[in-house]
Each structure stands twice: as C-alpha cells, then as structure tokens.
mmCIF file of all heavy atoms in Angstrom:
data_model
loop_
_atom_site.group_PDB
_atom_site.id
_atom_site.type_symbol
_atom_site.label_atom_id
_atom_site.label_comp_id
_atom_site.label_asym_id
_atom_site.label_seq_id
_atom_site.Cartn_x
_atom_site.Cartn_y
_atom_site.Cartn_z
ATOM 1 N N GLY A 215 0.726 -1.198 0.004
ATOM 2 C CA GLY A 215 0.052 0.000 0.031
ATOM 3 C C GLY A 215 0.826 1.238 0.000
ATOM 4 O O GLY A 215 0.504 2.255 0.702
ATOM 5 N N SER A 216 1.882 1.361 -0.743
ATOM 6 C CA SER A 216 2.776 2.506 -0.768
ATOM 7 C C SER A 216 2.017 3.770 -0.990
ATOM 8 O O SER A 216 1.478 3.957 -2.121
ATOM 9 C CB SER A 216 3.873 2.261 -1.849
ATOM 10 O OG SER A 216 4.607 1.229 -1.613
ATOM 11 N N PRO A 217 2.160 4.750 -0.177
ATOM 12 C CA PRO A 217 1.454 6.059 -0.437
ATOM 13 C C PRO A 217 2.032 6.811 -1.600
ATOM 14 O O PRO A 217 1.372 7.700 -2.161
ATOM 15 C CB PRO A 217 1.778 6.814 0.970
ATOM 16 C CG PRO A 217 2.032 5.779 1.901
ATOM 17 C CD PRO A 217 2.714 4.677 1.164
ATOM 18 N N ASP A 218 3.225 6.632 -1.954
ATOM 19 C CA ASP A 218 3.805 7.319 -3.091
ATOM 20 C C ASP A 218 3.461 6.737 -4.522
ATOM 21 O O ASP A 218 3.950 7.243 -5.481
ATOM 22 C CB ASP A 218 5.392 7.278 -2.948
ATOM 23 C CG ASP A 218 6.008 5.946 -3.287
ATOM 24 O OD1 ASP A 218 5.275 4.927 -3.270
ATOM 25 O OD2 ASP A 218 7.277 5.967 -3.539
ATOM 26 N N GLY A 219 2.577 5.739 -4.522
ATOM 27 C CA GLY A 219 2.106 5.277 -5.833
ATOM 28 C C GLY A 219 3.036 4.144 -6.470
ATOM 29 O O GLY A 219 2.796 3.847 -7.619
ATOM 30 N N THR A 220 3.859 3.536 -5.638
ATOM 31 C CA THR A 220 4.696 2.509 -6.172
ATOM 32 C C THR A 220 3.813 1.403 -6.774
ATOM 33 O O THR A 220 4.166 0.874 -7.891
ATOM 34 C CB THR A 220 5.537 1.852 -5.096
ATOM 35 O OG1 THR A 220 6.475 2.870 -4.602
ATOM 36 C CG2 THR A 220 6.521 0.722 -5.629
ATOM 37 N N GLY A 221 2.925 0.946 -6.011
ATOM 38 C CA GLY A 221 2.045 -0.133 -6.573
ATOM 39 C C GLY A 221 1.339 0.183 -7.873
ATOM 40 O O GLY A 221 1.223 -0.682 -8.812
ATOM 41 N N ARG A 222 0.850 1.393 -7.996
ATOM 42 C CA ARG A 222 0.146 1.865 -9.255
ATOM 43 C C ARG A 222 1.143 1.866 -10.384
ATOM 44 O O ARG A 222 0.797 1.466 -11.534
ATOM 45 C CB ARG A 222 -0.419 3.212 -8.951
ATOM 46 C CG ARG A 222 -1.577 3.133 -8.035
ATOM 47 C CD ARG A 222 -2.391 4.520 -8.014
ATOM 48 N NE ARG A 222 -1.577 5.625 -7.662
ATOM 49 C CZ ARG A 222 -1.387 6.087 -6.483
ATOM 50 N NH1 ARG A 222 -1.986 5.387 -5.418
ATOM 51 N NH2 ARG A 222 -0.610 7.165 -6.169
ATOM 52 N N LEU A 223 2.399 2.290 -10.164
ATOM 53 C CA LEU A 223 3.367 2.306 -11.200
ATOM 54 C C LEU A 223 3.699 0.955 -11.718
ATOM 55 O O LEU A 223 3.784 0.653 -12.924
ATOM 56 C CB LEU A 223 4.623 3.007 -10.734
ATOM 57 C CG LEU A 223 5.825 2.943 -11.686
ATOM 58 C CD1 LEU A 223 5.501 3.678 -12.997
ATOM 59 C CD2 LEU A 223 7.100 3.602 -11.033
ATOM 60 N N ILE A 224 3.866 -0.040 -10.840
ATOM 61 C CA ILE A 224 4.074 -1.367 -11.172
ATOM 62 C C ILE A 224 3.003 -1.959 -11.981
ATOM 63 O O ILE A 224 3.180 -2.719 -12.877
ATOM 64 C CB ILE A 224 4.543 -2.288 -9.894
ATOM 65 C CG1 ILE A 224 5.644 -1.758 -9.212
ATOM 66 C CG2 ILE A 224 4.735 -3.751 -10.408
ATOM 67 C CD1 ILE A 224 5.922 -2.323 -7.859
ATOM 68 N N GLU A 225 1.766 -1.639 -11.461
ATOM 69 C CA GLU A 225 0.492 -2.108 -12.221
ATOM 70 C C GLU A 225 0.582 -1.582 -13.665
ATOM 71 O O GLU A 225 0.220 -2.299 -14.593
ATOM 72 C CB GLU A 225 -0.760 -1.603 -11.478
ATOM 73 C CG GLU A 225 -1.956 -2.253 -11.899
ATOM 74 C CD GLU A 225 -2.022 -3.772 -11.472
ATOM 75 O OE1 GLU A 225 -2.055 -4.024 -10.178
ATOM 76 O OE2 GLU A 225 -2.100 -4.636 -12.393
ATOM 77 N N THR A 226 0.941 -0.317 -13.818
ATOM 78 C CA THR A 226 1.028 0.204 -15.219
ATOM 79 C C THR A 226 2.059 -0.547 -16.092
ATOM 80 O O THR A 226 1.771 -0.844 -17.207
ATOM 81 C CB THR A 226 1.392 1.658 -15.098
ATOM 82 O OG1 THR A 226 0.338 2.417 -14.404
ATOM 83 C CG2 THR A 226 1.539 2.292 -16.521
ATOM 84 N N LEU A 227 3.163 -0.777 -15.416
ATOM 85 C CA LEU A 227 4.305 -1.596 -16.198
ATOM 86 C C LEU A 227 3.827 -2.950 -16.544
ATOM 87 O O LEU A 227 4.119 -3.472 -17.561
ATOM 88 C CB LEU A 227 5.496 -1.610 -15.350
ATOM 89 C CG LEU A 227 6.259 -0.291 -15.029
ATOM 90 C CD1 LEU A 227 7.455 -0.539 -14.081
ATOM 91 C CD2 LEU A 227 6.647 0.343 -16.259
ATOM 92 N N ALA A 228 2.994 -3.576 -15.654
ATOM 93 C CA ALA A 228 2.528 -4.955 -15.943
ATOM 94 C C ALA A 228 1.549 -5.007 -17.031
ATOM 95 O O ALA A 228 1.369 -6.028 -17.652
ATOM 96 C CB ALA A 228 1.894 -5.396 -14.590
ATOM 97 N N THR A 229 0.848 -3.891 -17.309
ATOM 98 C CA THR A 229 -0.124 -3.966 -18.437
ATOM 99 C C THR A 229 0.584 -4.093 -19.781
ATOM 100 O O THR A 229 -0.018 -4.513 -20.761
ATOM 101 C CB THR A 229 -1.016 -2.704 -18.472
ATOM 102 O OG1 THR A 229 -0.117 -1.556 -18.611
ATOM 103 C CG2 THR A 229 -1.749 -2.534 -17.140
ATOM 104 N N THR A 230 1.871 -3.713 -19.887
ATOM 105 C CA THR A 230 2.501 -3.840 -21.126
ATOM 106 C C THR A 230 3.618 -4.885 -21.105
ATOM 107 O O THR A 230 4.240 -5.072 -22.193
ATOM 108 C CB THR A 230 3.275 -2.472 -21.457
ATOM 109 O OG1 THR A 230 4.095 -2.046 -20.430
ATOM 110 C CG2 THR A 230 2.115 -1.401 -21.594
ATOM 111 N N ASN A 231 3.838 -5.589 -20.008
ATOM 112 C CA ASN A 231 4.949 -6.515 -19.906
ATOM 113 C C ASN A 231 4.392 -7.747 -19.043
ATOM 114 O O ASN A 231 4.296 -7.531 -17.886
ATOM 115 C CB ASN A 231 6.238 -6.042 -19.381
ATOM 116 C CG ASN A 231 7.384 -6.929 -19.709
ATOM 117 O OD1 ASN A 231 7.227 -8.159 -19.547
ATOM 118 N ND2 ASN A 231 8.568 -6.415 -20.118
ATOM 119 N N PRO A 232 4.122 -8.875 -19.664
ATOM 120 C CA PRO A 232 3.643 -10.068 -18.892
ATOM 121 C C PRO A 232 4.600 -10.586 -17.852
ATOM 122 O O PRO A 232 4.195 -11.351 -17.001
ATOM 123 C CB PRO A 232 3.203 -10.975 -20.011
ATOM 124 C CG PRO A 232 4.046 -10.675 -21.085
ATOM 125 C CD PRO A 232 4.232 -9.243 -21.075
ATOM 126 N N ARG A 233 5.806 -10.157 -18.041
ATOM 127 C CA ARG A 233 6.817 -10.718 -17.076
ATOM 128 C C ARG A 233 6.854 -9.999 -15.754
ATOM 129 O O ARG A 233 7.549 -10.320 -14.802
ATOM 130 C CB ARG A 233 8.299 -10.624 -17.723
ATOM 131 C CG ARG A 233 8.463 -11.642 -18.845
ATOM 132 C CD ARG A 233 9.743 -11.463 -19.648
ATOM 133 N NE ARG A 233 10.908 -11.567 -18.726
ATOM 134 C CZ ARG A 233 12.096 -11.202 -19.117
ATOM 135 N NH1 ARG A 233 12.391 -10.835 -20.279
ATOM 136 N NH2 ARG A 233 13.165 -11.364 -18.281
ATOM 137 N N VAL A 234 6.044 -8.901 -15.698
ATOM 138 C CA VAL A 234 5.949 -8.061 -14.462
ATOM 139 C C VAL A 234 4.531 -8.289 -13.838
ATOM 140 O O VAL A 234 3.557 -8.147 -14.524
ATOM 141 C CB VAL A 234 6.168 -6.605 -14.718
ATOM 142 C CG1 VAL A 234 5.992 -5.762 -13.554
ATOM 143 C CG2 VAL A 234 7.548 -6.403 -15.414
ATOM 144 N N ARG A 235 4.575 -8.552 -12.511
ATOM 145 C CA ARG A 235 3.274 -8.705 -11.765
ATOM 146 C C ARG A 235 3.431 -8.007 -10.392
ATOM 147 O O ARG A 235 4.551 -7.859 -9.919
ATOM 148 C CB ARG A 235 2.955 -10.161 -11.523
ATOM 149 C CG ARG A 235 2.485 -10.856 -12.820
ATOM 150 C CD ARG A 235 1.942 -12.285 -12.501
ATOM 151 N NE ARG A 235 3.088 -13.208 -12.120
ATOM 152 C CZ ARG A 235 2.984 -14.498 -11.583
ATOM 153 N NH1 ARG A 235 1.720 -14.808 -11.213
ATOM 154 N NH2 ARG A 235 3.989 -15.151 -11.338
ATOM 155 N N VAL A 236 2.353 -7.701 -9.771
ATOM 156 C CA VAL A 236 2.364 -7.119 -8.498
ATOM 157 C C VAL A 236 1.163 -7.528 -7.699
ATOM 158 O O VAL A 236 0.013 -7.764 -8.141
ATOM 159 C CB VAL A 236 2.352 -5.469 -8.523
ATOM 160 C CG1 VAL A 236 1.022 -5.040 -9.324
ATOM 161 C CG2 VAL A 236 2.388 -4.882 -7.169
ATOM 162 N N LEU A 237 1.455 -7.847 -6.462
ATOM 163 C CA LEU A 237 0.415 -8.307 -5.381
ATOM 164 C C LEU A 237 0.209 -7.009 -4.534
ATOM 165 O O LEU A 237 1.187 -6.607 -3.829
ATOM 166 C CB LEU A 237 0.908 -9.454 -4.692
ATOM 167 C CG LEU A 237 0.152 -9.869 -3.405
ATOM 168 C CD1 LEU A 237 -1.315 -10.295 -3.927
ATOM 169 C CD2 LEU A 237 0.759 -10.992 -2.611
ATOM 170 N N HIS A 238 -0.940 -6.523 -4.446
ATOM 171 C CA HIS A 238 -1.230 -5.409 -3.635
ATOM 172 C C HIS A 238 -1.692 -5.874 -2.217
ATOM 173 O O HIS A 238 -2.626 -6.639 -2.141
ATOM 174 C CB HIS A 238 -2.269 -4.473 -4.253
ATOM 175 C CG HIS A 238 -1.888 -3.931 -5.574
ATOM 176 N ND1 HIS A 238 -1.083 -2.837 -5.704
ATOM 177 C CD2 HIS A 238 -2.179 -4.406 -6.841
ATOM 178 C CE1 HIS A 238 -0.880 -2.560 -6.997
ATOM 179 N NE2 HIS A 238 -1.512 -3.481 -7.738
ATOM 180 N N ARG A 239 -1.138 -5.233 -1.174
ATOM 181 C CA ARG A 239 -1.538 -5.523 0.197
ATOM 182 C C ARG A 239 -1.965 -4.239 0.732
ATOM 183 O O ARG A 239 -1.520 -3.102 0.333
ATOM 184 C CB ARG A 239 -0.367 -6.214 0.940
ATOM 185 C CG ARG A 239 0.110 -7.436 0.329
ATOM 186 C CD ARG A 239 0.791 -8.444 1.209
ATOM 187 N NE ARG A 239 1.845 -7.786 1.992
ATOM 188 C CZ ARG A 239 2.433 -8.435 3.011
ATOM 189 N NH1 ARG A 239 2.150 -9.680 3.381
ATOM 190 N NH2 ARG A 239 3.474 -7.808 3.627
ATOM 191 N N PRO A 240 -2.877 -4.328 1.806
ATOM 192 C CA PRO A 240 -3.488 -3.052 2.296
ATOM 193 C C PRO A 240 -2.636 -2.094 3.055
ATOM 194 O O PRO A 240 -2.946 -0.971 3.326
ATOM 195 C CB PRO A 240 -4.687 -3.515 3.123
ATOM 196 C CG PRO A 240 -4.235 -4.976 3.569
ATOM 197 C CD PRO A 240 -3.435 -5.491 2.383
ATOM 198 N N GLY A 241 -1.465 -2.613 3.586
ATOM 199 C CA GLY A 241 -0.675 -1.673 4.381
ATOM 200 C C GLY A 241 0.642 -2.475 4.720
ATOM 201 O O GLY A 241 0.957 -3.581 4.203
ATOM 202 N N LYS A 242 1.532 -1.863 5.675
ATOM 203 C CA LYS A 242 2.715 -2.472 5.975
ATOM 204 C C LYS A 242 2.571 -3.688 6.925
ATOM 205 O O LYS A 242 2.225 -3.490 8.056
ATOM 206 C CB LYS A 242 3.636 -1.360 6.725
ATOM 207 C CG LYS A 242 4.010 -0.270 5.799
ATOM 208 C CD LYS A 242 4.993 0.668 6.449
ATOM 209 C CE LYS A 242 6.340 0.138 6.633
ATOM 210 N NZ LYS A 242 7.340 0.993 7.103
ATOM 211 N N LEU A 243 2.820 -4.786 6.304
ATOM 212 C CA LEU A 243 2.578 -6.065 7.097
ATOM 213 C C LEU A 243 3.829 -6.837 7.395
ATOM 214 O O LEU A 243 3.858 -7.796 8.008
ATOM 215 C CB LEU A 243 1.682 -6.973 6.304
ATOM 216 C CG LEU A 243 0.248 -6.445 6.037
ATOM 217 C CD1 LEU A 243 -0.591 -7.385 5.086
ATOM 218 C CD2 LEU A 243 -0.578 -6.127 7.282
ATOM 219 N N GLY A 244 4.972 -6.193 6.921
ATOM 220 C CA GLY A 244 6.318 -6.773 7.274
ATOM 221 C C GLY A 244 7.026 -7.457 6.108
ATOM 222 O O GLY A 244 6.290 -8.030 5.275
ATOM 223 N N LEU A 245 8.307 -7.304 6.107
ATOM 224 C CA LEU A 245 9.022 -8.014 5.069
ATOM 225 C C LEU A 245 8.896 -9.513 4.996
ATOM 226 O O LEU A 245 8.680 -10.063 3.942
ATOM 227 C CB LEU A 245 10.588 -7.639 5.280
ATOM 228 C CG LEU A 245 11.582 -8.255 4.216
ATOM 229 C CD1 LEU A 245 11.394 -7.215 2.908
ATOM 230 C CD2 LEU A 245 12.973 -8.112 4.723
ATOM 231 N N GLY A 246 8.995 -10.182 6.132
ATOM 232 C CA GLY A 246 8.868 -11.609 6.190
ATOM 233 C C GLY A 246 7.504 -12.002 5.750
ATOM 234 O O GLY A 246 7.364 -13.039 4.982
ATOM 235 N N SER A 247 6.523 -11.354 6.124
ATOM 236 C CA SER A 247 5.106 -11.586 5.731
ATOM 237 C C SER A 247 4.978 -11.534 4.215
ATOM 238 O O SER A 247 4.292 -12.340 3.577
ATOM 239 C CB SER A 247 4.247 -10.662 6.424
ATOM 240 O OG SER A 247 2.911 -10.709 5.909
ATOM 241 N N ALA A 248 5.485 -10.464 3.644
ATOM 242 C CA ALA A 248 5.500 -10.297 2.157
ATOM 243 C C ALA A 248 6.206 -11.605 1.486
ATOM 244 O O ALA A 248 5.654 -12.057 0.550
ATOM 245 C CB ALA A 248 6.200 -9.006 1.794
ATOM 246 N N TYR A 249 7.397 -11.891 1.930
ATOM 247 C CA TYR A 249 8.020 -12.990 1.258
ATOM 248 C C TYR A 249 7.271 -14.324 1.417
ATOM 249 O O TYR A 249 7.104 -15.117 0.493
ATOM 250 C CB TYR A 249 9.407 -13.195 1.782
ATOM 251 C CG TYR A 249 10.494 -12.314 1.153
ATOM 252 C CD1 TYR A 249 11.260 -11.358 1.927
ATOM 253 C CD2 TYR A 249 10.674 -12.331 -0.254
ATOM 254 C CE1 TYR A 249 12.171 -10.586 1.314
ATOM 255 C CE2 TYR A 249 11.568 -11.533 -0.792
ATOM 256 C CZ TYR A 249 12.428 -10.597 -0.037
ATOM 257 O OH TYR A 249 13.300 -9.857 -0.662
ATOM 258 N N ARG A 250 6.766 -14.516 2.656
ATOM 259 C CA ARG A 250 5.991 -15.799 2.829
ATOM 260 C C ARG A 250 4.748 -15.931 2.000
ATOM 261 O O ARG A 250 4.503 -17.004 1.357
ATOM 262 C CB ARG A 250 5.596 -15.901 4.351
ATOM 263 C CG ARG A 250 6.748 -16.253 5.272
ATOM 264 C CD ARG A 250 6.159 -16.768 6.598
ATOM 265 N NE ARG A 250 5.268 -15.729 7.256
ATOM 266 C CZ ARG A 250 5.675 -14.801 8.104
ATOM 267 N NH1 ARG A 250 6.971 -14.634 8.323
ATOM 268 N NH2 ARG A 250 4.814 -13.995 8.592
ATOM 269 N N GLN A 251 4.016 -14.796 1.888
ATOM 270 C CA GLN A 251 2.891 -14.749 0.952
ATOM 271 C C GLN A 251 3.233 -14.968 -0.468
ATOM 272 O O GLN A 251 2.583 -15.760 -1.181
ATOM 273 C CB GLN A 251 2.085 -13.493 1.301
ATOM 274 C CG GLN A 251 0.729 -13.463 0.549
ATOM 275 C CD GLN A 251 -0.183 -12.251 0.958
ATOM 276 O OE1 GLN A 251 0.280 -11.452 1.837
ATOM 277 N NE2 GLN A 251 -1.223 -12.086 0.294
ATOM 278 N N ALA A 252 4.272 -14.282 -0.842
ATOM 279 C CA ALA A 252 4.675 -14.423 -2.232
ATOM 280 C C ALA A 252 5.144 -15.833 -2.550
ATOM 281 O O ALA A 252 4.750 -16.428 -3.684
ATOM 282 C CB ALA A 252 5.714 -13.448 -2.612
ATOM 283 N N TYR A 253 6.066 -16.429 -1.687
ATOM 284 C CA TYR A 253 6.542 -17.775 -1.951
ATOM 285 C C TYR A 253 5.430 -18.778 -2.112
ATOM 286 O O TYR A 253 5.410 -19.689 -2.876
ATOM 287 C CB TYR A 253 7.555 -18.126 -0.851
ATOM 288 C CG TYR A 253 8.845 -17.360 -0.875
ATOM 289 C CD1 TYR A 253 9.604 -17.141 0.245
ATOM 290 C CD2 TYR A 253 9.326 -16.782 -2.070
ATOM 291 C CE1 TYR A 253 10.708 -16.457 0.200
ATOM 292 C CE2 TYR A 253 10.531 -16.049 -2.133
ATOM 293 C CZ TYR A 253 11.241 -15.937 -0.966
ATOM 294 O OH TYR A 253 12.412 -15.051 -0.960
ATOM 295 N N ARG A 254 4.482 -18.690 -1.091
ATOM 296 C CA ARG A 254 3.368 -19.638 -1.068
ATOM 297 C C ARG A 254 2.570 -19.594 -2.334
ATOM 298 O O ARG A 254 2.191 -20.710 -2.914
ATOM 299 C CB ARG A 254 2.471 -19.456 0.172
ATOM 300 C CG ARG A 254 1.462 -20.422 0.378
ATOM 301 C CD ARG A 254 1.012 -20.455 1.795
ATOM 302 N NE ARG A 254 2.162 -20.932 2.622
ATOM 303 C CZ ARG A 254 2.053 -20.814 4.010
ATOM 304 N NH1 ARG A 254 0.895 -20.428 4.565
ATOM 305 N NH2 ARG A 254 3.077 -21.264 4.784
ATOM 306 N N ARG A 255 2.359 -18.452 -2.839
ATOM 307 C CA ARG A 255 1.614 -18.267 -4.102
ATOM 308 C C ARG A 255 2.440 -18.751 -5.289
ATOM 309 O O ARG A 255 1.849 -19.462 -6.139
ATOM 310 C CB ARG A 255 1.181 -16.787 -4.303
ATOM 311 C CG ARG A 255 0.576 -16.495 -5.601
ATOM 312 C CD ARG A 255 -0.062 -15.133 -5.606
ATOM 313 N NE ARG A 255 -0.456 -14.678 -6.889
ATOM 314 C CZ ARG A 255 -1.221 -13.628 -7.121
ATOM 315 N NH1 ARG A 255 -1.640 -12.866 -6.096
ATOM 316 N NH2 ARG A 255 -1.624 -13.290 -8.296
#
C-alpha cells in the first residue's frame, strides 16, 4: 500500500509486460510476511 504510488506504477508496467506482476496488500505487514505470502503463491 505504498502512499507514493509504487504499486500503481508497477501495475502500469505490468499492463505492457507480462513478465511483471504485483500483489497489492492493504498496508505495511512486514518484510517476512511479504516473502512468505509471495513464496506460497
């Protein structure tokens, strides 16, 4: 949930390149939490 629009920028890049994806989360849930969720998926 980056306030500076990081997620929106990645989403824009993903629309033109299928090798780029982004998982949006609602707020700061921690680095380890991010990796665990991504790896499991």
Side-chain angles (χ1 to χ4, degrees):
S216 297
D218 73 344
T220 297
R222 293 192 298 274
L223 173 60
I224 300 170
E225 194 71 61
T226 300
L227 296 174
T229 61
T230 59
N231 196 317
R233 290 170 60 187
V234 177
R235 288 186 287 167
V236 58
L237 171 65
H238 298 281
R239 305 204 303 173
K242 294 185 71 173
L243 302 176
L245 182 74
S247 168
Y249 276 124
R250 287 198 303 272
Q251 188 171 353
Y253 291 152
R254 187 157 294 172
R255 175 169 171 167

